[in-house]
């Protein structure tokens, strides 16, 4: 994929397909330029067999096609920078209360093959528009700034107004943009 934000969209879609009710998206860049992207959920998780095969492009749970390139391409993007990809998952059948998946990819942002982050704000608003009923927490931390969005906090203020309301989505986009822009000053 041309941007990491598109990988985030793909991985979050996997979490949604796994019936997650809570999804965390974190981008953390340290002072040395190592970016860690983490997506965690409380979805149904994966069996040990599926977890072993998940980075194989010919392993997919989708019935519409026989290949699944999202995770293999993300792994390739991370490894091309000297980084890595790890996935931990506990199936709901193995642990009815502690199930879910954590995907973590690390990248060296100074490497020539580093994939651009892309438009994270549009990715987040697209995710919210498609599945406003899910609780999301987004954090982007660097040595220079912190951007944060928690949909539980938004719901506490909005009451019965859905997160997929067009005015709410515009406000969320502006809110995130404002957080990013204040870091440039």
């Amino acid at each position: 994929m041309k941007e990491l934000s598109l990988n985030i969209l793909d991985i979050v879609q996997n979490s949604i397909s796994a019936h997650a009710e809570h999804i965390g998206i974190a981008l953390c860049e340290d002072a040395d330029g190592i970016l860690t992207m983490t997506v965690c959920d409380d979805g149904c998780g994966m069996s040990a067999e599926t977890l072993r095969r998940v980075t194989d492009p010919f392993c997919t749970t989708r019935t519409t096609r026989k290949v699944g390139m999202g995770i293999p391409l993300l792994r390739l993007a991370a490894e091309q920078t000297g980084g890595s990809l790890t996935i931990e998952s506990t199936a709901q059948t193995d642990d009815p209360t502690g199930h879910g998946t954590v995907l973590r990819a690390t990248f060296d942002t100074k490497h020539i093959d580093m994939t651009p982050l892309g438009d994270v704000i549009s990715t987040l608003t697209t995710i919210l528009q498609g599945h406003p009923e899910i609780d999301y927490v987004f954090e982007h931390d660097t040595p220079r700034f912190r951007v944060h969005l928690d949909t539980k906090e938004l719901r506490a203020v909005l009451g019965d107004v859905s997160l997929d309301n067009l005015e709410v989505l515009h406000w969320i986009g502006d809110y995130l943009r404002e957080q990013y822009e204040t870091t440039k000053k």
Side-chain angles (χ1 to χ4, degrees):
M1 293 188 197
K2 294 181 181 183
E3 300 176 346
L4 288 182
S5 62
L6 297 176
N7 289 107
I8 293 170
L9 184 64
D10 181 62
I11 300 304
V12 169
Q13 184 55 52
N14 291 345
S15 297
I16 292 166
S17 296
H19 308 289
E21 295 177 5
H22 303 89
I23 300 173
I25 305 162
L27 300 169
C28 184
E29 187 176 339
D30 69 18
D32 295 324
I34 301 301
L35 172 67
T36 303
M37 178 181 91
T38 307
V39 178
C40 59
D41 68 51
D42 63 351
C44 63
M46 292 181 265
S47 69
E49 175 61 25
T50 301
L51 186 57
R52 274 193 297 279
R53 297 180 43 228
V54 74
T55 58
D56 177 352
F58 299 103
C59 172
T60 183
T61 57
R62 293 185 181 172
T63 57
T64 55
R65 60 181 182 221
K66 296 184 189 260
V67 294
M69 296 299 290
I71 292 174
L73 288 175
L74 179 60
R75 182 177 84 181
L76 177 65
E79 289 175 352
Q80 283 179 328
T81 71
S84 63
L85 177 116
T86 60
I87 304 173
E88 301 167 12
S89 191
T90 303
Q92 189 171 13
T93 54
D94 295 335
D95 188 343
T97 58
H99 53 86
T101 301
V102 177
L103 177 141
R104 186 169 290 110
T106 59
F107 305 85
D108 181 348
T109 62
K110 296 178 282 186
H111 195 281
I112 192 168
D113 291 325
M114 177 61 191
T115 303
L117 184 55
D119 189 352
V120 175
I121 296 169
S122 291
T123 296
L124 292 171
T125 55
T126 298
I127 291 167
L128 290 171
Q129 184 177 20
H131 294 278
E133 73 284 359
I134 296 173
D135 287 326
Y136 302 92
V137 174
F138 170 74
E139 296 175 334
H140 188 170
D141 290 306
T142 77
R144 298 178 337 271
F145 65 84
R146 181 169 196 266
V147 176
H148 177 80
L149 178 74
D150 185 336
T151 58
K152 281 185 182 180
E153 294 171 359
L154 292 177
R155 284 191 187 89
V157 172
L158 293 171
D160 291 337
V161 179
S162 178
L163 295 178
D164 65 351
N165 176 293
L166 191 55
E167 290 180 32
V168 172
L169 289 169
H170 282 290
W171 182 88
I172 291 170
D174 289 344
Y175 175 69
L176 290 168
R177 236 178 318 284
E178 190 175 288
Q179 289 183 69
Y180 277 107
E181 287 172 3
T182 59
T183 65
K184 294 177 185 176
K185 295 178 181 177

